[in-house]
Amino acid sequence: GVLSFRYTEPMTWWMSMAKDVPRTLSAALQVRDQLIQDGRPQQRQMAVVSRLAAMHDETGQPALLFRDTPWANGAVWSLNPNPWLGAASRPDAASAEASAASTPSVTNAATIYWNPQIRDRLYGPAARGHLDGEYLDSLEGYVTAELNFRREHFRTTTVPLTFSSETKQLALFKGLAVYEFTRWLAQDVHRMGGLMFANGVPYRLSYLCPSLDVLGTETDWLEDGKYHPASLATMDLWRTMSGAKPYLLLMNTDYDQFTPDR
């Protein structure tokens, strides 16, 4: 009775860097290029994808953050998960609604995670186990850049452009790019009877909800040693936008203090 989902974080690449490497853009680019040459297969794939899919800031440089976390210490790349990125032309309305089978065979930040070969391997008759669907983590992109100013990305987008309220430069909003990816993936997963599960939604991007079957968030209801649940307004938002769908709370806290009485 326990459902199983495959994990994907579609908007980021957490690139580990040695502790003695400076946390600068130039150093991060050197590490990325070195991984293309001699990294492990998955590292090499993501490094190559970052060249195509990296979001750019207003100066035309890749949008990076530097973070030291339990799962990676280094640079966090913001990636555009548009499944048509790198294709020869922008898809028309019909193909934008089509399945992954009709997506151009370009390896980008979407197709590296989902393509006909991956689908058949995980869900086809020769699959090694049973999966109930796809799980998308950090779906609202908590460590990703808000705006993507990389102009070559505009050509194949299927969502509207916006602009910086400060500089008036044209840009893509990350929320619409992740909507583009989520809708595309959900069409394929739902077509084969699978479920879509996402973490960290909705806080701002309520328009992701129609593509999802299970919603939820990581949360910590312990603040300075005191029981502190989410506000009623926040929980009303989650419940309302989920409709009849389940909304799951993953308590991410200090369980030495968050004892059974809480």
Side-chain angles (χ1 to χ4, degrees):
V2 177
L3 304 187
S4 299
F5 294 79
R6 184 184 67 132
Y7 178 100
T8 297
E9 188 173 298
M11 296 185 68
T12 54
W13 174 36
W14 296 80
M15 184 185 77
S16 295
M17 301 168 65
K19 290 185 178 181
D20 59 349
V21 174
R23 269 36 181 177
T24 63
L25 174 61
S26 60
L29 290 173
Q30 287 181 349
V31 171
R32 189 270 307 273
D33 292 343
Q34 191 63 41
L35 289 174
I36 292 175
Q37 297 299 318
D38 55 19
R40 296 190 299 274
Q42 186 176 14
Q43 292 175 318
R44 190 180 305 118
Q45 271 193 319
M46 290 307 301
V48 170
V49 163
S50 74
R51 283 183 166 175
L52 171 67
M55 295 167 61
H56 282 184
D57 62 22
E58 289 164 298
T59 69
Q61 298 298 322
L64 300 181
L65 291 175
F66 296 100
R67 291 288 186 271
D68 182 0
T69 66
W71 57 90
N73 181 355
V76 187
W77 294 71
S78 294
L79 302 180
N80 177 0
N82 174 1
W84 293 275
L85 197 62
S89 62
R90 181 183 183 276
D92 58 29
S95 60
E97 294 294 329
S99 70
S102 62
T103 305
S105 57
V106 178
T107 301
N108 54 40
T111 60
I112 196 172
Y113 294 118
W114 186 259
N115 56 54
Q117 293 72 37
I118 290 175
R119 181 186 58 204
D120 292 345
R121 175 169 55 84
L122 295 177
Y123 294 91
R128 296 180 62 187
H130 174 76
L131 285 173
D132 295 284
E134 296 291 302
Y135 175 90
L136 303 179
D137 195 16
S138 309
L139 197 56
E140 294 197 6
Y142 75 105
V143 289
T144 50
E146 286 287 287
L147 296 177
N148 176 15
F149 297 91
R150 191 168 177 178
R151 285 190 167 244
E152 63 259 42
H153 286 190
F154 299 176
R155 179 167 48 83
T156 54
T157 186
T158 63
V159 295
L161 298 175
T162 184
F163 61 91
S164 165
S165 60
E166 297 176 357
T167 68
K168 309 303 187 272
Q169 287 190 50
L170 284 175
L172 278 163
F173 174 51
K174 70 173 178 184
L176 291 181
V178 76
Y179 163 75
E180 187 173 43
F181 169 82
T182 305
R183 179 185 61 179
W184 168 79
L185 177 59
Q187 285 164 354
D188 234 23
V189 171
H190 288 154
R191 189 176 290 111
M192 61 186 191
L195 299 173
M196 292 287 294
F197 185 1
N199 182 34
V201 64
Y203 284 91
R204 296 191 299 162
L205 310 182
S206 57
Y207 46 77
L208 298 177
C209 297
S211 296
L212 304 171
D213 304 293
V214 186
L215 301 90
T217 191
E218 291 174 70
T219 189
D220 185 356
W221 285 9
L222 195 64
E223 187 175 291
D224 297 325
K226 297 180 180 179
Y227 182 67
H228 187 77
S231 70
L232 182 60
T234 297
M235 290 193 283
D236 281 347
L237 170 68
W238 292 338
R239 181 69 274 143
T240 301
M241 297 313 302
S242 301
K245 303 170 185 177
Y247 195 90
L248 308 183
L249 297 171
L250 175 58
M251 202 58 59
N252 187 1
T253 190
D254 180 358
Y255 281 99
D256 290 334
Q257 297 187 58
F258 202 79
T259 47
D261 60 301
R262 288 171 164 152

